[in-house]
Amino acid sequence: MSRSAHNRAIAGAAVFLVAYLAVSPVAGMFATGDIPLPTDPGEQIKAFLVANPLAAISGAILQAVSVIGFAVFARVVVPMTGNRALGVVAGVSVAAMLVSSVITLVSAVFAADLSADTLATLRLTGFYAGGVVNVTTLGFVAFAASRQLVRIGAVGRGTATLGYVVGTLSMLSVISLAVYYANLFLPLGRVGSMVWTLVAAIVLMRRTGRSAK
């Protein structure tokens, strides 16, 4: 792997993590009142979006930037696994978050003109796309990539184990579709997967750089 590829993988992983962690504080700067849950009444969701469009828009933009960082990381690292299907899954994960971001942007911009029921449907759809679909596929990438990378000696067992753990937590988030309390797996799996990408990118730089000497 070239130095520029190393740099892209690390930069992508860093953007993936930092941009996502910035969502809440940045959106919070523009928000008044609590952000409604996806299951809250449509009237409540509409009232928030009409009053706080910048909060929703800034959060959506940062989430989009974050997942583009993951796309950069995946474009460098996934080919190393030799698993083309893994690239498809990574693409689905990126697309799911981008769809969620677009839904949020549209909802915020046209909140005053859309009905409460429509906004409630969009909010729930965006939540599923950017939540369960995105996190579950992120977990699959972390788990499967770790398995392949450790086999070829690109990462060590510690990095691979981290990938197995966060990958499992992420994939378990699918249970939240049936069990509400399983929503806990969403933030654990998402942030865990972000940390894994950054760790993996750094380890890959050190290992492949060392082997190239």
Side-chain angles (χ1 to χ4, degrees), residues 130-172:
V132 177
V133 177
N134 174 255
V135 174
T136 301
T137 48
L138 278 179
F140 182 85
V141 172
F143 191 101
S146 292
R147 185 178 180 184
Q148 294 297 110
L149 292 173
V150 77
R151 282 182 175 178
I152 63 175
V155 301
R157 291 190 178 278
T159 304
T161 299
L162 176 61
Y164 298 152
V165 171
V166 300
T168 299
L169 289 173
S170 298
M171 289 185 283
L172 284 173

Side-chain angles (χ1 to χ4, degrees), residues 3 205-213:
R3 180 176 294 275
M205 179 185 68
R206 290 179 174 177
R207 287 201 166 217
T208 57
R210 190 163 54 234
S211 63
K213 293 180 180 179

Side-chain angles (χ1 to χ4, degrees), residues 1-2 4-5 25 29 38 45 47 59 83 89 91 106 111 113 168 170 172 182 197:
M1 187 190 296
S2 67
S4 62
M29 292 171 57
I45 293 172
N83 188 339
V89 176
V106 170
D113 301 317
T168 299
S170 298
L172 284 173
T197 60

Side-chain angles (χ1 to χ4, degrees), residues 16 26-27 35 52 55 65 69 76 92 115 120 122 132-133 135 138 142 144 146 150 159 175 177 184 188 193 202 204:
F16 185 33
V26 171
I35 298 175
N52 302 278
V65 170
V76 174
V92 170
S115 69
L122 289 173
V132 177
V133 177
V135 174
L138 278 179
S146 292
V150 77
T159 304
I175 301 173
L177 293 173
L184 178 63
L188 290 176
S193 294
I202 293 171
L204 284 168

Side-chain angles (χ1 to χ4, degrees), residues 114-133:
L114 296 174
S115 69
D117 288 342
T118 298
L119 287 170
T121 300
L122 289 173
R123 178 80 168 94
L124 197 58
T125 302
F127 170 73
Y128 286 138
V132 177
V133 177

